[in-house]
Amino acid sequence: MLEKIISFCQGLAAKFIASSKRFPVTILLSTAIAVILGVEQHMLSTLTEENRSLLQHLCMILGLAIPVSLSIKVFFERRPSLSNSKKYLIYGIAIGGLWLYYVFFLADLQIISWIRYTAVTISFYCMFLLIPYFYKKDNYELYIVHLVTRFFVTYLYSVILYAGLAAILEMIHVLFLITVSFEAYFDIGLIITGIFAPVFFLGDIPKQDKELSLSSYPKVLKVLLLYIIMPLVVAYSTTLYIYFAKILIQMEWPTGIVTNLVIWYSLLSITVMFAIYPLRHTSSWANKFIKVFPIVVLPLLAMMFLSLGMRVNAYGITENRYFVFLTGLWLVSSMIYYITHKTPRNIVLPISLAILSLLSVMGPWSCFSVSTTSQSMRLEKIISKYDVIENGKISKINPDITADDKKEITNILYYFNSYHKLDEVKILPQNFKIGELKTVFGFSPTDNNGLNGNSTKYFNHVMKEQEKVASIKGFDYLFELSTINSQIEKPEIPISVVCTGKDSEVKILENGQVIYAKKINDIAQKIHTANQTNSVRKTEDMMVTDENENVKVIYFVKSISGTDDEGVINTQSLDCSLLVKMKNH
């Protein structure tokens, strides 16, 4: 037994050494991310907003550099004859490209930045997966299956390792009464996920000269795919056909569910087809599935496009619908490729996915350009019915705007305010703010989730970035509440804060006993009542003071949103700093 343990440890050490030698840049990048996140956690109370933002930006660009470095490394392995000068040039181009991306695309971390970042990251990971087999025809599927299997095994080991170490720390705390801080658990998690797991996984990536054979196909995965997942896919397909037949017979189209029913099922199915492709010669069931399923799924995708077309016709194109359409187009193209080619090369799938991911976020055909154009045209179409535009701008109020059109106008404006910029809507007055909707259009915002123009109104009050400064003199503690459902406690202080959507309250506890409670909706009510005309406010407009016999608190609210249904407030999100002063201490 001891010999087996020693042998395992030696093999593990050899794998770590080999991985570090083969992918040193990637491991340094993942380690740097872990260190930065650890520093941020340990200095959470002292970091300024600007410093936090800088650390977040650094983590993101280092995260993007990981698939870039992996792609460069496997490319060098494909081209061992490259001179050092050419290798340095490629690294220089990569560093320059990452710097440009950092400067121009990570300057403002809004929703658009995250969407673009995700798409670009996916593209580079696809490149990493396809470069080793770009000119090869055989066993690409086995290579991907091997990587995916090792990935899940690696992170299963990581979870078990973390659970074991966390249990040891908890046992030390219970048995020896030694305080173990939250940061200790956090640091262990970072070390495992940011250092151990990447090194362990990279050590299992096959080298360029290693040939994979069908005998290496995992038996567990083979059984899972052939005898569990594939029968379930067939059963799901049958159910979808019956359901769509019911729709056609009754001529009643469901609202918004057809797309989700088909798109995820189709993605799972093409993944299964890819994974079982090496088994087609040894399993007649796998061979029949690969030949028949692409034909079966095409009518279902056609129904999805019909449903999506109805939504686009009614509400225009948004980023979500754009990506659904693009994914559907990729799926249809892939299925047609399988049907028309007797011996398809599955490497086409990651190549096309990488290209589409980049094209979807870059250029005039990107999801952002197409969506803004569509929603702008939709808004102009609605507004043009009421004769309120002069010289290309809205210049007067028409009291006859219907309730449905008010709701649509509100939704479009909130879409631009959340995802893009209101300046992109050409018919709006210059420097238009969402809080000026009543002044410009003659009505207040209606609830985005409301129907038929009901009385519910949506509010979103956000403090200006430059106004986020307040004195904490005279207070004992500062807590950051970034979500409605959160709990903040540290062993070194006697109090903790719970902010929960279940009870809709902010609670302060001392030694487990509640010494203060405040309804979240009451906080929202005070801020919303004082800020009816503008969604961006000054510091004093976004502060709520409260106290009881135990504590005095100040809510320094950075953003709060929700709905107002004739005075009934329902808070949806809250981001605030909570200043606490203890009494009688």
Side-chain angles (χ1 to χ4, degrees):
M1 183 66 181
L2 181 61
E3 291 180 357
K4 290 183 178 180
I5 295 176
I6 294 174
S7 176
F8 173 79
C9 293
Q10 288 176 343
L12 190 63
K15 182 182 292 187
F16 270 60
I17 294 172
S19 176
S20 301
K21 288 182 178 179
R22 189 180 176 195
F23 299 100
V25 176
T26 304
I27 293 172
L28 283 174
L29 290 170
S30 64
T31 302
I33 294 174
V35 171
I36 291 173
L37 291 175
V39 169
E40 182 182 16
Q41 179 62 36
H42 282 275
M43 300 179 64
L44 196 61
S45 60
T46 59
L47 286 175
T48 63
E49 193 72 24
E50 292 76 15
N51 288 335
R52 289 182 189 176
S53 178
L54 175 61
L55 294 178
Q56 185 179 22
H57 282 68
L58 286 175
C59 284
M60 290 184 68
I61 200 62
L62 291 175
L64 179 58
I66 287 177
V68 173
S69 67
L70 288 172
S71 300
I72 292 174
K73 178 59 181 178
V74 293
F75 175 73
F76 287 168
E77 292 180 346
R78 285 297 308 273
R79 301 290 299 275
S81 60
L82 280 177
S83 63
N84 288 335
S85 59
K86 290 182 179 179
K87 291 181 179 180
Y88 294 145
L89 176 62
I90 292 173
Y91 272 123
I93 293 173
I95 293 172
L98 289 168
W99 181 81
L100 291 174
Y101 190 95
Y102 178 87
V103 172
F104 292 103
F105 295 130
L106 291 182
D108 187 13
L109 290 184
Q110 301 299 323
I111 295 176
I112 290 178
S113 300
W114 284 104
I115 294 174
R116 182 184 289 111
Y117 179 84
T118 302
V120 173
T121 303
I122 290 174
S123 297
F124 278 108
Y125 274 114
C126 288
M127 289 178 60
F128 161 65
L129 294 177
L130 65 89
I131 287 175
Y133 276 74
F134 188 72
Y135 294 110
K136 291 186 176 182
K137 292 187 177 181
D138 300 327
N139 298 330
Y140 177 66
E141 301 83 9
L142 290 175
Y143 176 73
I144 298 300
V145 166
H146 175 83
L147 291 186
V148 172
T149 303
R150 298 313 304 171
F151 177 84
F152 282 108
V153 169
T154 296
Y155 280 92
L156 176 62
Y157 285 177
S158 300
V159 170
I160 295 173
L161 180 60
Y162 177 79
L165 293 175
I168 292 173
L169 289 180
E170 186 63 23
M171 186 169 59
I172 291 173
H173 169 66
V174 173
L175 296 180
F176 300 100
L177 301 179
I178 298 175
T179 301
V180 181
S181 66
F182 168 78
E183 283 79 6
Y185 294 92
F186 188 80
D187 290 343
I188 290 175
L190 285 178
I191 292 171
I192 292 174
T193 59
I195 301 175
F196 168 81
V199 173
F200 190 78
F201 170 72
L202 294 174
D204 278 326
I205 295 179
K207 292 186 177 181
Q208 183 63 37
D209 56 354
K210 183 178 180 179
E211 293 292 337
L212 299 174
S213 63
L214 190 58
S215 60
S216 65
Y217 201 99
K219 292 183 179 179
V220 173
L221 181 62
K222 181 178 179 180
V223 172
L224 178 66
L225 291 172
L226 292 179
Y227 304 113
I228 298 178
I229 294 181
M230 286 168 57
L232 289 174
V233 169
V234 172
Y236 191 90
S237 303
T238 305
T239 305
L240 278 181
Y241 266 97
I242 295 172
Y243 178 68
F244 286 148
K246 173 179 174 288
I247 291 175
L248 295 175
I249 292 172
Q250 296 180 347
M251 298 302 292
E252 293 182 2
W253 199 269
T255 304
I257 66 171
V258 172
T259 299
N260 286 326
L261 286 175
V262 176
I263 197 74
W264 294 110
Y265 144 82
S266 300
L267 286 171
L268 172 64
S269 300
I270 198 170
T271 303
V272 171
M273 289 173 58
F274 182 95
I276 65 171
Y277 193 77
L279 306 175
R280 68 193 185 284
H281 296 307
T282 58
S283 170
S284 58
W285 168 219
N287 190 43
K288 289 179 181 178
F289 188 90
I290 292 170
K291 289 182 177 180
V292 175
F293 185 78
I295 301 173
V296 171
V297 79
L298 282 178
L300 301 178
L301 288 169
M303 294 289 284
M304 184 205 73
F305 277 113
L306 180 60
S307 174
L308 182 62
M310 293 179 179
R311 300 288 293 178
V312 170
N313 184 60
Y315 304 108
I317 300 174
T318 60
E319 281 80 4
N320 289 340
R321 297 186 189 112
Y322 179 98
F323 281 113
V324 170
F325 173 81
L326 194 63
T327 303
L329 185 64
W330 180 75
L331 287 167
V332 169
S333 302
S334 300
M335 296 304 173
I336 294 175
Y337 177 72
Y338 272 107
I339 294 171
T340 56
H341 288 70
K342 292 184 179 180
T343 55
R345 293 187 61 189
N346 284 318
I347 199 170
V348 169
L349 300 183
I351 292 175
S352 58
L353 185 61
I355 294 172
L356 287 177
S357 294
L358 282 178
L359 292 177
S360 67
V361 294
M362 303 290 182
W365 48 77
S366 70
C367 62
F368 315 120
S369 299
V370 173
S371 298
T372 54
T373 301
S374 173
Q375 294 301 320
S376 293
M377 292 175 61
R378 182 167 161 245
L379 179 62
E380 291 180 19
K381 182 179 179 181
I382 296 171
I383 294 297
S384 63
K385 297 187 296 184
Y386 298 101
D387 190 30
V388 296
I389 299 178
E390 292 182 359
N391 299 321
K393 300 287 184 182
I394 298 175
S395 58
K396 54 185 177 180
I397 294 175
N398 189 328
D400 299 326
I401 299 178
T402 65
D404 286 341
D405 283 344
K406 288 179 180 178
K407 178 174 177 289
E408 292 303 314
I409 292 170
T410 301
N411 288 342
I412 294 172
L413 293 178
Y414 270 101
Y415 162 79
F416 275 99
N417 192 54
S418 299
Y419 285 80
H420 301 279
K421 295 180 180 179
L422 289 167
D423 294 341
E424 297 179 45
V425 185
K426 296 180 181 179
I427 64 173
L428 293 177
Q430 191 173 5
N431 299 322
F432 174 83
K433 304 296 182 185
I434 198 70
E436 299 169 355
L437 197 149
K438 184 175 180 62
T439 304
V440 175
F441 289 88
F443 61 88
S444 299
T446 56
D447 178 24
N448 287 346
N449 298 317
L451 297 175
N452 302 323
N454 62 20
S455 60
T456 306
K457 299 177 182 179
Y458 176 81
F459 64 84
N460 180 35
H461 303 300
V462 183
M463 187 182 299
K464 289 183 179 179
E465 189 70 28
Q466 62 267 30
E467 294 288 345
K468 293 181 180 178
V469 178
S471 173
I472 62 173
K473 184 177 180 180
F475 287 85
D476 300 308
Y477 304 106
L478 170 65
F479 297 91
E480 294 290 337
L481 305 178
S482 58
T483 63
I484 286 183
N485 293 291
S486 59
Q487 181 172 346
I488 304 173
E489 56 181 345
K490 292 188 176 183
E492 58 267 25
I493 62 175
I495 69 171
S496 59
V497 174
V498 177
C499 182
T500 172
K502 181 179 178 181
D503 301 322
S504 299
E505 287 185 329
V506 175
K507 296 179 181 178
I508 299 177
L509 296 84
E510 184 176 23
N511 299 321
Q513 300 296 318
V514 178
I515 60 173
Y516 170 85
K518 182 74 172 180
K519 294 287 185 182
I520 298 175
N521 289 338
D522 290 344
I523 303 169
Q525 179 78 64
K526 289 187 177 182
I527 293 177
H528 181 56
T529 301
N531 301 295
Q532 289 289 324
T533 60
N534 202 328
S535 63
V536 181
R537 306 304 299 166
K538 296 181 179 180
T539 301
E540 58 269 20
D541 299 324
M542 299 288 283
M543 294 176 67
V544 175
T545 302
D546 193 26
E547 62 182 310
N548 62 12
E549 66 277 7
N550 299 312
V551 297
K552 178 181 179 180
V553 299
I554 292 181
Y555 297 88
F556 180 68
V557 181
K558 287 170 276 190
S559 69
I560 190 166
S561 65
T563 58
D564 178 2
D565 187 0
E566 296 183 341
V568 179
I569 297 296
N570 180 29
T571 309
Q572 296 177 352
S573 68
L574 172 66
D575 182 7
C576 77
S577 298
L578 179 62
L579 304 175
V580 179
K581 178 179 176 59
M582 305 296 293
K583 295 183 178 180
N584 303 321
H585 274 216

